[in-house]
């Protein structure tokens, strides 16, 4: 990779436990809470999710900031329809590294329902955040998700994010690509081997001079997988190749 482009690929492991919880508050009825713990070297960061009767999922970021996140069905969102482990880790990590985003233009690739990017918007002073993913552009796009961008936009409206937008970006379609930004983030985008090279090319295009990539990928054992699966090292190799 050229020296102006910096990539940081982070392997992450998140654990969760769900202790019993009762609330005496009259305004919010909590049925339970779940804590996701990101282990980063010697440090641990907790990301709290509270379960309420309200629609959507509610996360507590940076100790006090509430984020309402909307998911969608698998039919509408395909693999991006729910929050995956690396997005939880990315959100927790963003809470502990707010200075990295101050005044920056941030782009999340393969956002899914957008937890990572929305966490950046909620807890940092990023100048602007763009969430992206695929979207069915016509009725013949049977394999493309049809509800991810709608879910992202619903989350942005619910949280009052004026500095966040949602756009269609296809890693393999350069005509859908956007202008370069200061920071690119992605989480759990390493899955299909055939998508690695397009993802690397898309990342390289979207990083401005001196831009930085923060990519999170959960550690998984694919030894018994029926089909070939990509590994984080594959993305690292592909990023070197596009340099």
């Amino acid at each position: 990779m050229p020296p102006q482009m910096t990539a940081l690929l982070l392997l992450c492991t998140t654990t969760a436990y769900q202790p019993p919880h009762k609330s005496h508050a009259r305004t919010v009825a909590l049925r339970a809470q779940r804590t996701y713990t990101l282990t980063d070297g010697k440090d641990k960061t907790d990301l709290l999710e509270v379960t309420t009767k309200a629609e959507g999922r509610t996360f507590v970021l940076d100790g006090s900031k509430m984020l309402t996140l909307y998911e969608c069905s698998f039919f509408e969102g395909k693999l991006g329809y729910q929050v995956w482990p690396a997005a939880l880790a990315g959100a927790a990590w963003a809470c502990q590294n707010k200075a990295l985003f101050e005044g920056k233009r941030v782009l999340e690739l393969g956002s899914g329902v957008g937890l990572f990017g929305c966490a950046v918007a909620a807890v940092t002073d990023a100048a602007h955040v763009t969430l992206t993913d695929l979207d069915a552009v016509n009725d013949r796009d049977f394999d493309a998700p049809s509800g991810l961008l709608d879910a992202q936009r619903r989350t942005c409206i619910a949280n009052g994010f004026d500095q966040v937008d949602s756009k269609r970006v296809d890693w393999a379609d350069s005509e859908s690509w956007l202008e370069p930004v200061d920071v690119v983030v992605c989480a759990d985008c390493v899955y299909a081997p055939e998508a690695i090279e397009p993802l690397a090319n898309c990342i390289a295009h979207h990083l401005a001079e001196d831009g930085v990539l923060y990519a999170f990928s959960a550690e998984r054992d694919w030894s018994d997988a029926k089909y070939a699966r990509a590994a984080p090292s594959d993305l690292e190799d592909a990023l070197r190749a596009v340099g």
Side-chain angles (χ1 to χ4, degrees), residues 2 10 13 37 51 106-107 137-138 172 185 194 208 212 217 240:
L10 300 140
T13 302
T37 301
T51 306
V106 181
L107 173 71
V137 294
N138 59 52
V185 299
E194 63 273 16
V212 181
S217 184
R240 288 197 181 97

Side-chain angles (χ1 to χ4, degrees), residues 3-237:
Q4 298 89 348
M5 184 169 65
T6 303
L8 179 62
L9 275 66
L10 300 140
L11 286 175
C12 60
T13 302
T14 54
T15 59
Y17 61 89
Q18 189 169 359
H21 180 83
K22 293 182 179 180
S23 173
H24 300 289
R26 295 181 180 179
T27 55
V28 180
L30 299 181
R31 297 199 302 270
Q33 67 180 24
R34 178 174 297 161
T35 302
Y36 304 95
T37 301
L38 168 66
T39 302
D40 181 14
K42 297 180 180 179
D43 300 322
K44 291 185 178 181
T45 304
D46 287 343
L47 179 69
L48 178 67
E49 179 180 6
V50 294
T51 306
T52 73
K53 293 182 178 180
E55 190 178 358
R57 297 176 66 175
T58 301
F59 295 91
V60 182
L61 304 173
D62 206 22
S64 61
K65 295 180 180 178
M66 308 289 283
L67 172 69
T68 298
L69 187 85
Y70 290 98
E71 297 179 316
C72 57
S73 68
F74 180 80
F75 176 78
E76 296 171 311
K78 299 301 187 281
L79 289 176
Y81 79 111
Q82 67 172 15
V83 174
W84 292 100
L88 293 164
W93 177 84
C95 292
Q96 296 300 316
N97 293 275
K98 296 186 284 291
L100 297 176
F101 300 96
E102 185 174 355
K104 304 295 186 182
R105 299 164 297 156
V106 181
L107 173 71
E108 183 181 13
L109 293 176
S111 302
V113 291
L115 175 60
F116 193 178
C118 286
V120 171
V123 303
T124 79
D125 290 325
H128 192 271
V129 177
T130 300
L131 310 175
T132 69
D133 216 302
L134 291 171
D135 190 43
V137 294
N138 59 52
D139 293 338
R140 291 176 294 179
D141 291 334
F142 298 111
D143 294 331
S146 61
L148 288 180
L149 300 190
D150 285 342
Q152 294 171 11
R153 290 163 184 162
R154 190 178 180 192
T155 293
C156 292
I157 292 171
N159 293 280
F161 289 151
D162 295 330
Q163 79 282 31
V164 183
D165 62 2
S166 173
K167 296 185 178 181
R168 175 185 178 271
V169 169
D170 183 345
W171 304 340
D173 177 12
S174 60
E175 292 186 1
S176 72
W177 295 355
L178 310 174
E179 293 297 318
V181 297
D182 306 304
V183 179
V184 172
V185 299
C186 59
D188 263 335
C189 289
V190 175
Y191 180 71
E194 63 273 16
I196 295 299
E197 183 177 348
L199 173 58
N201 289 326
C202 189
I203 289 170
H205 165 82
H206 284 103
L207 281 176
E209 186 173 355
D210 298 322
V212 181
L213 163 71
Y214 300 110
F216 279 76
S217 184
E219 293 185 289
R220 293 185 172 92
D221 180 6
W222 295 117
S223 59
D224 60 347
K226 184 176 181 180
Y227 302 103
R229 294 288 180 256
S233 58
D234 296 326
L235 178 57
E236 187 176 2
D237 292 341

